[in-house]
Amino acid sequence: MGAPKSGFWSPRIAALQPYVPGEQPRIDNLVKLNTNENPYPPSPLAIDAIQRASESGLERYPDPTSMALREAIAHRHGLNRQQVFVGNGSDEVLAHAFFAFFQQADPLLLPDITYSFYKVYAQLYGIACELQPVDDDLRIDVDALAARAQSVDGCAGIVIANPNAPTGIGLPLKRIEQLLMACPHRVVLVDEAYVDFGGESALPLVALYPNLLVVRTLSKSHSLAGLRVGFVCGQSHLIEALTRVKDSFNSYPLDRLASAGAVAAIEDERYFESTRKAVMDTREGLSLQLEDLGFEVLPSQANFVFVRHADHDAAMLAAALRERAVLVRHFAQPRIDQYLRISIGTRDQCSTLIDALQTVLG
Ligand code: PMP
């Protein structure tokens, strides 16, 4: 007997609606196209590096500053290491950024259709959000966001994903600059989780804009979702704030294996180029096949496509595919509940999907 267990919880935790990740079931011969993982394995050089790292030094804590990895990232992107912060997946980096920059008196500006974790971080840290509707084509309304940021009402900053999730639609750099100029006194965070699949990166703007943060992950384009490595680039005064949060939370977010694997993956540019090209080529072929089956396919610059069918309910389609061991993602959310988000698999996986859809659609 006693108080209900939630009676022990802090009030904010009781009110939280945590993020629900896509399912990771153990089903034989599953075609898993629901969480935007890369269908190809990581670089063999990354596997070697992880193996070597596992053979010595695990009794010691890793470098709390992750210097080698930050230097590799800085070198790859023409930055210096004071402009790079790394974390345990970009989700952790995003959480620290929300904590470090957006706890302000005014609300944070977000598109209404975006990565759903942003609202969870905002709830966790007590940050009010103001949602800016995407337009009828599900494109981010940059003019409206910029106008709102410039209004007398004030804002805590702006967060967008580019390309956006779960639509896959990208914004050109000029539109990112429009947001940066409209919001000079607050941070504009651009989450580029999917940018390597055809988007335009804002990294070249880091040196120009003191309010820009660009978040990246190795989970998608470097096939390392299981290693948990993300990073953020920005001018050193922003990186310093993130480091203050990290050093008040967990001094060692990246273990020795993750750092070693990430450095090797970043340095193996040839492997990176070949797998991302394979994903992009497969996406174009899959998009045409889906259109032939009667789907509307939004223009994607990501490793997934966002599609809807005029005659078939999306939740029903997702359930029917699941029965055939093909997993895709459906969001039971206003405005997008008739869409399916389909991650780009190998060519074989995409053929299995198309076969299954042909059966389901009849
Ligand atoms: N940002 C976006 C837009 C995402 O879709 C994801 C993946 N769910 C992440 C960040 C987080 O990626 P990770 O933590 O694996 O780096």
Side-chain angles (χ1 to χ4, degrees):
M1 290 296 285
K5 78 175 176 356
S6 60
F8 293 109
W9 298 0
S10 307
R12 191 177 286 170
I13 297 307
L16 262 185
Q17 285 174 288
Y19 178 73
V20 182
E23 54 173 337
Q24 302 280 1
R26 287 161 200 249
I27 299 175
D28 286 344
N29 301 319
L30 181 71
V31 174
K32 193 171 173 309
L33 305 176
N34 66 329
T35 49
N36 296 342
E37 287 138 331
N38 198 308
Y40 302 106
S43 154
L45 300 182
I47 307 286
D48 281 354
I50 292 166
Q51 224 144 30
R52 268 182 280 119
S54 73
E55 283 159 15
S56 71
L58 281 183
E59 68 281 13
R60 303 264 182 229
Y61 284 111
D63 170 13
T65 69
S66 296
M67 191 65 79
L69 176 56
R70 286 168 53 224
E71 272 173 359
I73 293 166
H75 181 253
R76 173 78 174 76
H77 294 293
L79 300 166
N80 64 55
R81 63 171 186 263
Q82 287 81 18
Q83 296 171 316
V84 180
F85 176 86
V86 296
N88 192 250
S90 59
D91 280 337
E92 183 183 81
V93 163
L94 285 164
H96 287 350
F98 274 63
F99 195 67
F101 304 111
F102 301 137
Q103 298 186 89
Q104 309 282 355
D106 297 314
L108 176 66
L109 309 183
L110 302 171
D112 62 342
I113 304 299
T114 191
Y115 183 34
S116 46
F117 223 142
Y118 303 149
K119 278 181 239 162
V120 180
Y121 298 130
Q123 270 194 342
L124 179 63
Y125 298 129
I127 298 164
C129 290
E130 194 175 308
L131 303 182
Q132 187 66 55
V134 297
D135 69 17
D136 291 341
D137 296 328
L138 303 188
R139 289 176 188 276
I140 292 174
D141 191 340
V142 174
D143 291 337
L145 268 177
R148 172 59 186 82
Q150 282 170 312
S151 78
V152 290
D153 289 342
C155 70
I158 302 175
V159 173
I160 60 165
N162 189 38
N164 199 11
T167 63
I169 300 172
L171 287 175
L173 215 49
K174 265 203 293 219
R175 302 295 260 165
I176 303 293
E177 273 199 283
Q178 186 183 346
L179 291 177
L180 287 162
M181 288 189 280
C183 189
H185 304 300
R186 294 288 185 218
V187 166
V188 176
L189 186 154
V190 183
D191 179 352
E192 295 189 341
Y194 301 104
V195 78
D196 288 327
F197 301 105
E200 214 180 327
S201 175
L203 283 177
L205 301 181
V206 162
L208 304 175
Y209 290 92
N211 55 336
L212 170 63
L213 276 182
V214 179
V215 174
R216 292 285 195 97
T217 178
L218 270 69
S219 296
K220 320 290 180 182
S221 55
H222 289 81
S223 307
L224 286 172
L227 204 64
R228 313 303 301 129
V229 182
F231 63 93
V232 55
C233 302
Q235 292 187 9
S236 57
H237 57 276
L238 300 182
I239 301 305
E240 189 186 335
L242 291 166
T243 308
R244 288 171 74 100
V245 175
K246 173 193 86 90
D247 287 333
S248 310
F249 179 77
N250 176 6
S251 308
Y252 310 104
L254 281 192
D255 62 63
R256 288 172 176 271
L257 308 189
S259 291
V263 168
I266 287 165
E267 288 175 349
D268 192 354
E269 287 184 36
R270 193 188 301 181
Y271 185 87
F272 162 79
E273 287 299 338
S274 71
T275 49
R276 84 183 177 116
K277 181 169 185 310
V279 169
M280 288 189 286
D281 288 350
T282 310
R283 177 184 69 208
E284 299 318 306
L286 178 67
S287 300
L288 294 175
Q289 286 177 299
L290 288 167
E291 281 170 358
D292 284 346
L293 291 176
F295 284 94
E296 177 196 351
V297 182
L298 298 192
S300 171
Q301 295 183 323
N303 67 337
F304 56 84
V305 285
F306 205 49
V307 305
R308 69 174 165 183
H309 201 285
D311 310 322
H312 293 267
D313 177 71
M316 260 181 44
L317 283 178
L321 286 172
R322 197 180 191 289
E323 275 171 27
R324 288 159 180 80
V326 178
L327 282 194
V328 300
R329 190 90 194 254
H330 173 253
F331 298 89
Q333 191 185 320
R335 299 195 73 184
I336 56 169
D337 64 350
Q338 281 313 310
Y339 285 85
L340 295 176
R341 192 195 67 188
I342 305 175
S343 309
I344 307 301
T346 61
R347 286 194 172 79
D348 281 354
Q349 289 173 326
C350 291
S351 301
T352 308
L353 164 77
I354 293 293
D355 290 348
L357 277 172
Q358 272 164 343
T359 316
V360 169
L361 297 173

